[in-house]
Amino acid sequence: MNSEKIYQMRFGEIYPLLQNKAIRKGRTAEEVDRVICWLTGYQKADLEKAACGSVSYGEFFRCAPSLNPKRELIRGVVCGVRVEDVEEPLMREIRRLDKLIDELAKGRAMEKILRE
């Protein structure tokens, strides 16, 4: 799938997929929200508003209030792509979120996921 197609998708379509991935592995929707808020700087209410609205996935990241500086510590492979090697900045942020949700689903401790 090309980048533009991903950027155009509604965040409200992606959000339940992220939640379901973690929930199927025994984690909670609240943990998913915490990870997303940590990465993007959104507050819980703003996250819920974006999930119910028509904001695109690309706009969700472009309008993020405050991307966490510790996100630079996110390393590894997701979907066969090394996160830190993704050249396009917006796609790198999307892949970072994918990586965090993968870590959550694999049972990693929240302190490690949030790089505390």
Side-chain angles (χ1 to χ4, degrees):
M1 185 177 284
N2 71 34
S3 297
E4 276 308 311
K5 205 170 194 180
I6 294 170
Y7 301 157
Q8 299 294 326
M9 295 177 77
R10 280 188 333 100
F11 177 70
E13 296 171 3
I14 305 289
Y15 181 64
L17 301 175
L18 297 172
Q19 287 186 320
N20 289 336
K21 181 175 187 173
I23 290 169
R24 281 192 315 266
K25 299 292 185 168
R27 300 308 284 254
T28 66
E30 291 77 25
E31 288 174 310
V32 172
D33 292 350
R34 185 172 171 202
V35 166
I36 295 171
C37 291
W38 175 86
L39 178 65
T40 63
Y42 282 103
Q43 298 297 312
K44 173 88 167 136
D46 297 324
L47 178 60
E48 290 172 359
K49 185 177 175 184
C52 294
S54 60
V55 65
S56 71
Y57 205 28
E59 281 302 306
F60 178 77
F61 280 98
R62 284 186 201 105
C63 296
S66 175
L67 292 172
N68 193 311
K70 288 186 178 181
R71 75 190 190 287
E72 300 293 335
L73 300 174
I74 300 168
R75 305 250 186 262
V77 177
V78 65
C79 299
V81 177
R82 185 153 289 284
V83 173
E84 59 272 23
D85 293 342
V86 175
E87 290 185 27
E88 191 174 347
L90 184 55
M91 184 54 72
R92 188 177 321 117
E93 300 306 333
I94 289 171
R95 292 295 185 191
R96 284 177 173 150
L97 178 56
D98 290 342
K99 181 64 178 167
L100 293 176
I101 298 300
D102 279 356
E103 291 177 0
L104 185 65
K106 289 178 180 173
R108 191 166 192 195
M110 189 61 79
E111 300 79 39
K112 294 197 182 253
I113 294 169
L114 303 182
R115 285 28 185 195
E116 294 177 344

